[in-house]
Amino acid sequence: MSFADNSCRLITPLSQRKRETVQVETAGELPPASHGFDELTNPLVGSSPRMRIVRALIVKLATNNSTVLIAGESGTGKELAARAIHQMSARRDLSFVPVNCSAIPEELLESELFGHVRGAFTGAINTRQGRFQLASGGTLFLKEIGEMSPKLQVKLLRVLQERQFEPVGGDHAIQVDVRVIAATNRDLREAVREGRFREDLFYRLNVLPLELPSLREREGDIPVLIRYFLHLHLRLKNKGALLIDSPAMATLRRYHWPGNVREMENLIERVVVLNDDGLIRVGDLPDYVVNNSAPQHQRSMAATLPSEGVDLDDILEKIENGFIEQALQRTRGNKTMAAELLNLNRTTFFERLRKKGMLRLAKTNTSCAESVGEMTNQKFSLTQPSRRLSELRHTHKRFRSSCS
């Protein structure tokens, strides 16, 4: 059971109520942190296959100092995932320093990152340390790295390669011991192809990739997150129990959440603040939620039949094969989780793989994913070192060679 499940208690509705409702009662305090993620768990709440993989990967990424590149849509919790990596690492007692590369003009970002010496430019009346120095010994989080200018990309590349830099206007290199975690909501591979992002910097950043799923890809976690945010904001706003009727909950579950977890939290906070009678109805939800409640992936499936017709069986076969391959890739070859993503019985999924001649591909992917699959087992503790971890690290090279 997830941390969010424990944060709320579902009460059987009173018999005199005509509509089915779900009641959330605050308990005064949030429950003890689970899985070692502490209060950083908001976007990491959930038990969907994708989130189990994400949590397991965060544990692995926290055990070393290599650079991490977190990819995901806006609002999926990239900064909170970065904080979780830092808090679970050996650097947890030192600084976590975030920098939003898209929010600072280019002419100021260089000084912000690397500092400057007195007199380096107009207004530089004092020598100032940059974020790299402030994060010394800890973690520097570069948010929206895809927005960084080509000039600064060159300087960042040097820091990652040589672990030293020169402040603006300075002539002496400064050594730095910082773990860099970068994040982007853009496709950096496409940016590299278009010449907007340096290829050598991309590979320096993408040593340990982590992809956060959108809320549309983890629909089963939506009720859990709704309950979690209800509990959180009821407590923060010092309000009593709140009821959600079934039509309202169904509308929230169908909504496609383009803003992901951030949008959900903002909406739940709004509902909690504005509600006066203790019951959330469909009418209490914004019009854009009610009117756009059809899942986005269903709307995007619409297609026009060409005048010459199509080979329907061939098209359906390609679509099915594509979804199977994506499911295996997303679950790192774990066939049980892939079957869950496709809403298929495990036996049925295996039979389809066999008929399509895809079992060999699945086995290859599975060997590469064995370490992750081990960690997503329900008996695996994210707060206590596993005896298997040393074995997994010992056999890491063998997994990599088998995947090459």
Side-chain angles (χ1 to χ4, degrees), residues 90-334:
R91 297 173 178 264
R92 67 177 67 88
D93 295 327
L94 297 170
S95 299
F96 176 89
V97 180
V99 181
N100 190 335
C101 299
S102 65
I104 305 175
E106 177 188 353
E107 59 272 15
L108 298 180
L109 183 57
E110 182 177 9
S111 173
E112 192 70 24
L113 289 175
F114 307 110
H116 61 258
V117 300
R118 181 179 180 180
F121 50 83
T122 302
I125 58 176
N126 293 307
T127 296
R128 182 175 183 270
Q129 288 188 338
R131 300 294 181 94
F132 268 96
Q133 284 179 276
L134 294 175
S136 182
T139 302
L140 179 67
F141 176 58
L142 301 176
K143 187 176 182 180
E144 304 309 337
I145 191 70
E147 305 298 326
M148 183 174 285
S149 69
K151 174 186 174 182
L152 291 184
Q153 289 179 33
V154 174
K155 198 161 185 177
L156 176 59
L157 178 63
R158 184 191 175 196
V159 179
L160 296 177
Q161 289 175 334
E162 304 176 13
R163 297 296 168 179
Q164 64 179 19
F165 64 91
E166 294 177 1
V168 178
D171 55 6
H172 296 290
I174 297 176
Q175 294 291 134
V176 65
D177 172 25
V178 174
R179 184 185 194 179
V180 174
I181 300 179
T184 180
N185 62 5
R186 297 181 179 273
D187 185 344
L188 288 190
R189 292 184 184 275
E190 181 179 349
V192 169
R193 288 193 296 269
E194 295 175 352
R196 293 182 289 105
F197 200 83
R198 292 183 63 95
E199 184 176 17
D200 46 5
L201 177 57
F202 170 72
Y203 289 119
R204 280 287 179 180
L205 293 171
N206 199 41
V207 177
L208 297 175
L210 174 65
E211 182 179 355
L212 296 184
S214 66
L215 209 47
R216 298 182 301 279
E217 298 174 276
R218 42 184 298 215
E219 293 179 4
D221 291 334
I222 289 177
V224 177
L225 283 162
I226 289 173
R227 292 170 189 136
Y228 172 79
F229 287 127
L230 272 172
H231 173 89
L232 177 65
H233 288 289
L234 284 171
R235 180 174 65 85
L236 292 176
K237 304 298 187 294
N238 196 28
K239 299 189 72 171
L242 193 59
L243 297 167
I244 307 178
D245 70 11
S246 291
M249 177 63 83
T251 299
L252 291 171
R253 294 189 66 167
R254 289 193 300 267
Y255 181 55
H256 61 273
W257 300 107
N260 294 296
V261 179
R262 182 188 295 122
E263 180 187 9
M264 175 182 285
E265 180 175 8
N266 292 341
L267 175 60
I268 296 302
E269 181 180 5
R270 168 184 172 177
V271 170
V272 169
V273 170
L274 297 179
N275 188 273
D276 293 322
D277 63 359
L279 179 64
I280 300 174
R281 307 172 181 85
V282 173
D284 298 317
L285 303 178
D287 290 341
Y288 67 86
V289 173
V290 177
N291 296 333
N292 295 279
S293 57
Q296 189 179 55
H297 69 272
Q298 289 185 5
R299 297 199 305 274
S300 64
M301 290 294 286
T304 302
L305 179 67
S307 58
E308 67 274 15
V310 297
D311 185 337
L312 184 59
D313 289 337
D314 181 60
I315 289 178
L316 294 178
E317 179 76 10
K318 289 179 179 178
I319 292 175
E320 182 179 5
N321 291 345
F323 278 130
I324 289 175
E325 290 174 2
Q326 289 182 51
L328 289 170
Q329 290 171 2
R330 288 183 182 179
T331 60
R332 295 346 188 240
N334 187 304

